[in-house]
Amino acid sequence: MAADKANPGSDPVVLRVKDLHKSYGDNHVLRGVSMDLRRGETKVVIGPSGTGKSTLLRCINQLSIPDSGHVWLGDLEVTSRQTNINKIRAQIGFVFQSFNLFTHLTALHNVRIGPMKVGGMKKGEATRLAMEELERVGLADKVDAYPSELSGGQQQRVSIARALAMFPQLILFDEPTSALDPELIGEVLEVMISLAKDGMTMIVVSHEMGFARAVADEIIFMESGVVLEQGSPDELFVRPKEQRTQEFLRKICELYGE
Amino acid sequence: MTVLLTLGLLGTGLLLGFPLAFAQVYGYRPVRWTCLVYEQFFRGIPALVLILIFHSGLARSFHILLPAFASALLALGLRSSAYQSQIFRGAIQAVPTGQMLAARSLGMSKLKAIRYVILPQAFRLSIPPWTNEFSSVLKDTSLASAIGVVELMKKTMLAMPTIQNALGARWILVLLIAVAVVYLVLTYAGNWALGFLENRLQIPGFEMKGMVER
């Protein structure tokens, strides 16, 4: 696999996805997707809209229940009925396109509610942790702000801090910058790039090609519910094998001017 | 007595209305269905008929004679719980689904997510429509006079002959206007207190207006 070339197979596999299928009514969104994610690896998933990229992320932490197929987090089978899904989800960060910060809580409380109510952490300790994580995303001065008082970029950074405060094994990003004004995208990408460089394991659904080029160990091109092509940024951007990949990348480049 | 009955009714309604609303939104199908029947039943019957069912009806048919106050409390309280359940259901459903998703993605169970994320938001959203329920419950207590609960209205009716004998028939209208003013003042005071609560719990950008703007 291409991932092995970029990252010669030494790190343990954190997440294993095998042959996932998911339909909504007649719409067969995922038609057998498999992938392995090693510790510290960043994979960027691209592809036309309606291809099942978001569904794939949601099926990984069971926010959508896949119709068939398996997901493992380390040795634990996520898709098994015996598994306590809440314990799994606590270890998988999820960053939403629309942020979904808790509207009635300040930035600080948004970040510390997970460690406190799920992790059972004491208030003082959780507060310290939340401060640290907010500092990490550059929002130390916004701890007392409510979501509505923050810009989209700031909200998304709080939501990244909220995910980080759970000490996740990996973080799933579902189009984290698609809902942002162009001038706010940079600050979010900056945080994500520094996470990737710090060795966070992540799957990112995004069309930010600059980001993909900078940090992706592997790019996955999905279309119509299957992985059409995957490889390092160089392989995919410079010499894509599939014609569909070429066409898609050309469109994206026209759009984003790269 | 009127104030006591109002508080009792709202309390009963609140205590039953909240769980009913959550059951209706998050419950399994049979639970939801049961709640729906309950709610339709108590919202579909006039308050006076309910009061008579719980007082005279039970007494005549089953020889269960509840004290008048208890009958009124039960009849109007259950009725209010049905109305309040709809207020809360609306409020719960007004909380965007992303809130639940985000809570679950952190590893919260459904119950925790409801308690720490949905409930605090739904509660704030339900205060404005709840003032409506308060106003109508307060005035519905006057119906309890029909089965002899001595609340404001019953007292007024009891006072009518005395007033007429002492001051003349014209003063009946004055008496009734005075009672109307008492109801008015009570309603206003209650709404003022609820408005105060609403402001105290106000969070930037969380008012309905803010939600639309975003």
Side-chain angles (χ1 to χ4, degrees), chain A residues 78-99:
Chain A
V78 178
T79 33
S80 156
R81 281 175 159 259
Q82 275 84 47
T83 307
N84 179 347
I85 190 60
N86 295 325
K87 284 202 172 127
I88 299 281
R89 288 199 190 119
Q91 300 175 55
I92 302 180
F94 202 105
V95 174
F96 297 87
Q97 180 179 354
S98 48
F99 332 131

Side-chain angles (χ1 to χ4, degrees), chain A residues 58 61 63 85-86 89-90 92 94 96 100-105 113-114 117-118 146 148-149 162-163 166, chain B residues 96-110 112 116-118 120-121 124 203-206 214:
Chain A
R58 284 172 185 228
N61 79 346
L63 284 178
I85 190 60
N86 295 325
R89 288 199 190 119
I92 302 180
F94 202 105
F96 297 87
N100 293 346
L101 288 182
F102 303 130
T103 336
H104 63 301
L105 298 176
I113 193 172
K117 303 301 178 195
V118 179
Y146 283 96
S148 69
E149 300 169 323
R162 175 172 70 177
M166 297 299 289
Chain B
T97 47
Q99 298 286 308
M100 179 56 113
L101 274 182
R104 298 306 303 273
S105 83
L106 286 175
M108 287 191 196
S109 62
K110 209 171 190 176
K112 274 188 186 169
Y116 298 118
V117 176
I118 308 297
Q121 298 188 31
R124 286 181 172 84
I203 279 172
F206 197 73
R214 249 180 302 131

Side-chain angles (χ1 to χ4, degrees), chain B residues 19-212:
Chain B
L20 267 172
F22 277 101
Q24 246 182 22
V25 178
Y26 295 112
Y28 291 107
R29 202 159 289 168
V31 178
R32 280 205 306 248
W33 199 78
T34 315
C35 294
L36 189 75
V37 171
Y38 174 93
E39 170 238 314
Q40 292 289 329
F41 179 83
F42 281 103
R43 290 209 304 162
I45 296 176
L48 189 55
V49 177
L50 272 178
I51 291 176
L52 292 174
I53 287 176
F54 275 91
H55 195 62
S56 325
L58 287 183
R60 303 264 165 90
S61 307
F62 298 104
H63 302 289
I64 307 170
L65 182 61
L66 294 173
F69 184 81
S71 298
L73 188 67
L74 210 57
L76 294 177
L78 295 180
R79 180 177 137 92
S80 178
S81 78
Y83 277 99
Q84 291 191 37
S85 76
Q86 292 316 293
I87 292 175
F88 299 136
R89 185 176 62 85
I92 293 166
Q93 285 172 336
V95 177
T97 47
Q99 298 286 308
M100 179 56 113
L101 274 182
R104 298 306 303 273
S105 83
L106 286 175
M108 287 191 196
S109 62
K110 209 171 190 176
L111 227 60
K112 274 188 186 169
I114 289 175
R115 174 153 167 224
Y116 298 118
V117 176
I118 308 297
L119 198 70
Q121 298 188 31
F123 180 70
R124 286 181 172 84
L125 291 173
S126 60
I127 297 175
W130 203 79
T131 56
N132 242 342
E133 177 63 9
F134 163 78
S135 307
S136 57
V137 163
L138 174 68
K139 284 165 289 178
D140 283 351
T141 56
S142 62
L143 292 169
S145 61
I147 54 169
V149 179
V150 188
E151 40 67 71
L152 186 56
M153 199 59 228
K154 188 74 187 175
K155 274 193 186 137
T156 311
M157 296 201 290
L158 290 174
M160 278 182 191
T162 326
I163 297 276
Q164 186 165 358
N165 290 339
L167 301 165
R170 271 188 203 165
W171 285 89
I172 297 289
L173 183 63
V174 177
L175 176 69
L176 285 172
I177 289 175
V179 171
V181 169
V182 173
Y183 277 113
L184 196 75
V185 167
L186 283 176
T187 309
Y188 179 79
N191 279 328
W192 180 84
L194 286 165
F196 181 74
L197 180 71
E198 192 185 338
N199 282 333
R200 277 300 299 274
L201 295 175
Q202 186 66 59
I203 279 172
F206 197 73
E207 65 277 13
M208 292 279 202
K209 194 174 55 188
M211 292 179 75
V212 175

